[in-house]
Amino acid sequence: MTTDHSQPSQGESQKAAIVTGASRGIGAAISARLARDGFAVVINYANGADTAGDLRRKLEASGGRAMTFQADVSDASAVARMFDAAEATFDGVDVVVNNAGVMVLDTIAASDDAAFERVMNINLKGAFHTMREAARRLRHGGRIINLSSSVIGLRMERYGIYAASKAAVEAMTAVLSKEMRGRAITVNAVAPGPTATDLFLDGKSPETIERLAKLNPLERLGTPEDIAAAVAFLASPDGAWINGQVLRANGGMV
């Protein structure tokens, strides 16, 4: 484990957010947007300490406060240590964004147990570990924001395991929103459509990418910043009355 952070100012009461899988792609965009909106940010990563460190320095250069924390979200003890570090550095946690995820595509018939376990360990068990810590530790009025996927509605071939992991996250989102009664904590999910990230683009032909971009009426891929804007809304005071919902940020695809 490596921890790298800037020290908070004495007497400062700033809201803090943990973003999992935050070193690149959508997670990095979410971290940057929340920092711009005034949050101190915990940049979680499993691999790629250099990339996470570069993002931290970028946020600090823009006047933000950030720390990096290496943790595999499938490891419950590592997630607990991440919350410990966030509380020690920023005096508490107000927002948790469950963004860490992996995508393994194949038909159900051709998928092996290793692929199933890898996707479920990160996408579902990882989200569970983080939601559980957030439910125990978030300050009054906090936000839990889970990343789902619009492939649940599309039901595309070869996405069976991935879609199943995200469908389970949506179910837990709805349940946890009710369990937070009395603490003014909202629990929602954002379900991106096809978004121009390395995770999405990897292994796809230009023709496939173009076809997927045309599925929504706006006829383009989403950007990480599009998704970050949806997350920022739910994390903001303007999102306080949204609870137990799935916001499908996909350009109108489904």
Side-chain angles (χ1 to χ4, degrees):
M1 179 201 78
T2 60
T3 306
D4 188 12
H5 60 81
S6 59
Q7 293 296 327
S9 301
Q10 289 293 327
E12 195 171 88
S13 116
Q14 182 180 24
K15 288 189 175 181
I18 293 174
V19 183
T20 68
S23 63
R24 60 193 178 94
I26 290 173
I30 292 170
S31 297
R33 176 59 189 266
L34 292 179
R36 194 175 85 201
D37 289 350
F39 288 90
V41 179
V42 178
I43 302 164
N44 162 254
Y45 66 97
N47 301 293
D50 290 344
T51 305
D54 288 344
L55 177 60
R56 177 185 61 82
R57 286 185 285 274
K58 177 182 176 183
L59 299 187
E60 291 178 339
S62 298
R65 294 172 62 209
M67 62 178 280
T68 61
F69 196 93
Q70 191 279 330
D72 179 346
V73 294
S74 69
D75 180 347
S77 61
V79 171
R81 288 193 298 272
M82 177 170 63
F83 274 78
D84 289 342
E87 289 173 340
T89 304
F90 300 130
D91 300 322
V93 180
D94 302 277
V95 173
V96 170
V97 182
N98 274 309
N99 170 73
V102 296
M103 183 185 293
V104 179
L105 302 182
D106 210 337
T107 65
I108 290 172
S111 296
D112 59 21
D113 287 355
F116 182 89
E117 289 168 6
R118 181 174 180 235
V119 172
M120 292 299 172
N121 280 342
I122 301 297
N123 296 8
L124 180 54
K125 187 188 286 186
F128 164 69
H129 289 157
T130 313
M131 278 190 275
R132 181 172 61 186
E133 290 298 325
R136 294 170 175 173
R137 304 203 199 196
L138 244 59
R139 289 190 280 218
H140 186 87
R143 306 279 199 272
I144 300 171
I145 304 166
N146 299 318
L147 269 289
S148 179
S149 173
S150 289
V151 300
I152 295 173
L154 292 171
R155 301 188 174 106
M156 295 167 62
E157 296 173 5
R158 304 179 69 242
Y159 282 80
I161 296 173
Y162 180 76
S165 72
K166 294 300 188 178
V169 168
E170 288 192 9
M172 284 199 292
T173 297
V175 171
L176 185 56
S177 70
K178 295 176 173 64
E179 294 175 348
M180 292 293 95
R181 180 183 296 274
R183 293 171 57 191
I185 293 172
T186 65
V187 188
N188 294 288
V190 173
T195 305
T197 65
D198 291 341
L199 180 67
F200 171 78
L201 298 172
D202 185 42
K204 292 183 175 70
S205 68
E207 294 77 19
T208 298
I209 294 168
E210 180 68 14
R211 176 177 60 81
L212 292 171
K214 296 291 187 182
L215 287 178
N216 71 72
L218 300 182
E219 296 189 330
R220 68 170 176 85
L221 294 178
T223 67
E225 290 73 24
D226 289 327
I227 311 308
V231 170
F233 164 68
L234 292 173
S236 76
D238 288 341
W241 193 234
I242 312 300
N243 195 19
Q245 305 302 310
V246 179
L247 177 54
R248 305 210 176 276
N250 59 26
M253 179 179 297
V254 289

